[in-house]
Amino acid sequence: MPSSTIRSISITVSDDDGATAPRRTRAGRRKVVRSLGQRAVRLVARWWPILLLLPAVALLLFEASRLRASPSPAPPVSSSLGRLDPTTRLVHGVREPCLKFLSPKSIENLVFHEGSGLNAVVKRIIYKTDDDDYDSHHSEANSTYLLQHAEATRFNLFTGFQTVPEREESFKVNETVSVHCGFYSDNGGFKISVGDVRYMRTCKVVVSTCAFGGGDDLYQPIGMVNSSIGKQVCYVAFWDEVTLSTQEAEGKLTGENEMIGRWRIIVVKNLPFVDQRLNGKIPKMLTHRLFPEASYSIWVDSKYQFRRDPIGVLEALLWRTNSTFAISEHGARTNIYDEGKAIVQKHKATPEEVEVQLTQYRQDGMPDEKRLHGLKALAEASIIVRELTPLTNHFMCAWFNEVVRFTSRDQLSFPYVLWRLNMPGINMFPVCTRRDLVNSLGHTRKVKPLTQTNSDSSAA
């Protein structure tokens, strides 16, 4: 081809041709991305349950491998057993002990108090019995006698047959008071061996508990100072024959001195009530009847392990506050009528039983108040510390008669007795203090009810 022809050919080059190729490439990429995204969404929508399960399965496999490698945890029931660290509470942002105890050395040097020094009205108490009256009238099925005691279906030879007028008379505070207060005998029930009675007369300070009908295990007290043992401090556990056989079956045997560790085991025969809760009120409330030579008592419910020195407890709750009676405030409720509702809701008593009791209290003028005589009205009665004086003995006798006459729930009758007697020298300590005195271990087994009773121990 001639050179002139070649030179005449023109080649047109557009500026847009260089940008067209990249633009097409980006559009293709976006299309691919959209396609992949849509596919991913479809996969997630289809398989999302499995995707959620995968992390959970991985976590379970990881935890299972950890459990196989680690030792088994201690049983939770004994988590509090033996604990001695003080219970504390927050006061103005600072942790303080709930109850300030003296040092062991100071407790050893304590001079034993022989009385609170309170100018109490009650100086002497006479315990009424109906033994002769029962034999001469009830054994002959005297219809008049039966009608007179028809309202007292749980009163029996052990308690005496308190009439309604006698109940009213028992709340009168005089220098000398006469009141029914139970008694242990062959005829009345709650029979204790001669050897046990002899031992009980040696106690100056008694720490007591009980488990009837199989009941709870026995937890050894801890935290005591050695000198307390030399001050005639007794640890006494009341059992019946059912509890004795239950404990023996688990290898817990009494020695020749009838002891298990610190506890002297006293086996009671011929319990006077079908209701085992009511049988338990005898050692709880009538300590002064069981230990006539004792000066002080500390009651501990069987679900607890007592973890403080008894002399130190007396100093902290009685001597330091110039009190004769110490009991814990209730932690959940403050009113007797709210307590009645709670008892029914928890099936601790029937609605009819509670209604009879509260109706009587309303008729007697019992106020619907949270505080009585400057004290919180409702108590939690699992720990009771007291000096055994005619004043406190009168209070406990009246309280015991109320739980016999009405329901066995002593927390329901305590406010009424407190209101009626207005006893001085009561120290109602907070729940925090109660928790410092004991380790709570809960009830370990269900109580077995009595299947048979002595015919003489049934009520009219």
Side-chain angles (χ1 to χ4, degrees), residues 239 244 248 251-260 263-265 267:
W239 287 358
L244 179 65
E248 287 178 343
K252 299 172 184 176
L253 308 176
T254 58
E256 293 181 359
N257 56 359
E258 306 300 329
M259 303 285 288
I260 296 181
W263 293 100
R264 169 72 178 237
I265 307 302
V267 179

Side-chain angles (χ1 to χ4, degrees), residues 23 32 64 83 147 352 381 429:
R23 185 176 300 166
V32 170
R83 186 174 62 87
L147 289 172
E352 294 77 15
F429 50 85

Side-chain angles (χ1 to χ4, degrees), residues 156-423:
N156 54 37
L157 272 178
F158 177 82
T159 63
F161 297 89
Q162 186 195 60
T163 64
V164 171
E166 285 174 328
R167 172 181 180 265
E168 187 63 28
E169 189 69 22
S170 70
F171 287 111
K172 294 181 179 179
V173 180
N174 300 306
E175 188 169 309
T176 300
V177 296
S178 179
V179 62
H180 289 87
C181 203
F183 65 97
Y184 55 96
S185 67
D186 292 344
N187 293 329
F190 213 80
K191 184 179 180 181
I192 298 173
S193 72
V194 174
D196 287 334
V197 171
R198 188 181 301 116
Y199 171 82
M200 292 159 66
R201 288 185 175 274
T202 67
C203 302
K204 190 171 185 180
V205 177
V206 57
V207 180
S208 61
T209 189
C210 83
F212 295 143
D216 294 316
D217 289 334
L218 187 64
Y219 305 108
Q220 293 300 318
I222 56 177
M224 71 282 291
V225 176
N226 290 333
S227 62
S228 295
I229 305 301
K231 292 180 179 178
Q232 295 174 288
V233 176
C234 301
Y235 294 87
V236 176
F238 292 93
W239 287 358
D240 62 355
E241 293 173 299
V242 176
T243 301
L244 179 65
S245 62
T246 300
Q247 295 296 323
E248 287 178 343
E250 296 182 358
K252 299 172 184 176
L253 308 176
T254 58
E256 293 181 359
N257 56 359
E258 306 300 329
M259 303 285 288
I260 296 181
R262 295 281 186 187
W263 293 100
R264 169 72 178 237
I265 307 302
I266 294 181
V267 179
V268 183
K269 298 180 179 180
N270 193 21
L271 292 172
F273 302 109
V274 174
D275 186 350
Q276 292 284 29
R277 292 173 301 177
L278 197 52
N279 286 321
K281 306 305 178 187
I282 298 170
K284 180 175 184 175
M285 296 181 169
L286 306 185
T287 314
H288 55 285
R289 298 288 271 152
L290 298 169
F291 299 87
E293 305 300 324
S295 299
Y296 294 93
S297 69
I298 300 174
W299 167 260
V300 182
D301 270 10
S302 59
K303 64 183 177 181
Y304 291 144
Q305 178 187 37
F306 189 57
R307 67 187 198 120
R308 293 292 177 232
D309 181 82
I311 304 300
V313 171
L314 295 179
E315 189 280 329
L317 297 182
L318 297 184
W319 301 342
R320 192 185 303 174
T321 59
N322 196 32
S323 304
T324 57
F325 187 99
I327 192 170
S328 172
E329 296 177 343
H330 200 288
R333 291 169 292 279
T334 59
N335 181 280
I336 186 174
Y337 300 108
D338 290 340
E339 178 68 8
K341 294 176 184 177
I343 288 172
V344 172
Q345 290 172 355
K346 295 179 180 180
H347 306 289
K348 301 289 183 69
T350 67
E352 294 77 15
E353 288 175 321
V354 173
E355 184 58 31
V356 167
Q357 185 169 1
L358 293 183
T359 297
Q360 182 63 57
Y361 289 174
R362 290 189 187 97
Q363 292 176 355
D364 293 341
M366 174 75 187
D368 182 3
E369 296 179 3
K370 295 181 178 181
R371 301 188 70 83
L372 297 169
H373 307 305
L375 300 170
K376 190 173 179 179
L378 213 58
E380 206 283 337
S382 58
I383 305 289
I384 302 174
V385 183
R386 68 185 181 105
E387 183 182 353
L388 305 182
T389 67
L391 184 70
T392 64
N393 295 346
H394 178 210
F395 186 97
M396 298 304 281
C397 292
W399 192 8
F400 177 74
N401 289 331
E402 289 298 290
V403 299
V404 174
R405 180 176 294 275
F406 298 110
T407 71
S408 302
R409 310 307 302 176
D410 50 38
Q411 293 175 178
L412 195 59
S413 48
F414 176 84
Y416 179 82
V417 179
L418 174 66
W419 170 64
R420 289 295 303 266
L421 293 181
N422 190 17
M423 183 177 70

Side-chain angles (χ1 to χ4, degrees), residues 428-445:
M428 291 191 72
F429 50 85
V431 174
C432 179
T433 296
R434 169 166 52 86
R435 291 173 178 166
D436 192 83
L437 296 173
V438 294
N439 290 325
S440 181
L441 299 160
H443 295 295
T444 55
R445 62 180 62 84

Side-chain angles (χ1 to χ4, degrees), residues 57-131:
V57 170
L59 182 61
L60 285 173
L61 292 174
F62 174 71
E63 291 295 333
S65 65
R66 286 183 60 192
L67 288 174
R68 284 195 298 268
S70 61
S72 300
V77 68
S78 60
S79 60
S80 297
L81 189 64
R83 186 174 62 87
L84 276 171
D85 55 301
T87 305
T88 61
R89 60 183 173 182
L90 201 61
V91 180
H92 303 301
V94 180
R95 281 282 169 191
E96 294 185 357
C98 294
L99 187 58
K100 296 179 180 179
F101 277 92
L102 295 179
S103 66
K105 185 175 181 180
S106 298
I107 293 175
E108 289 180 357
N109 296 329
L110 273 176
V111 177
F112 204 90
H113 284 217
E114 295 296 340
S116 63
L118 284 176
N119 185 21
V121 175
V122 180
K123 306 293 185 183
R124 180 170 174 260
I125 183 167
I126 300 173
Y127 301 117
K128 299 180 66 174
T129 66
D130 296 325
D131 196 13

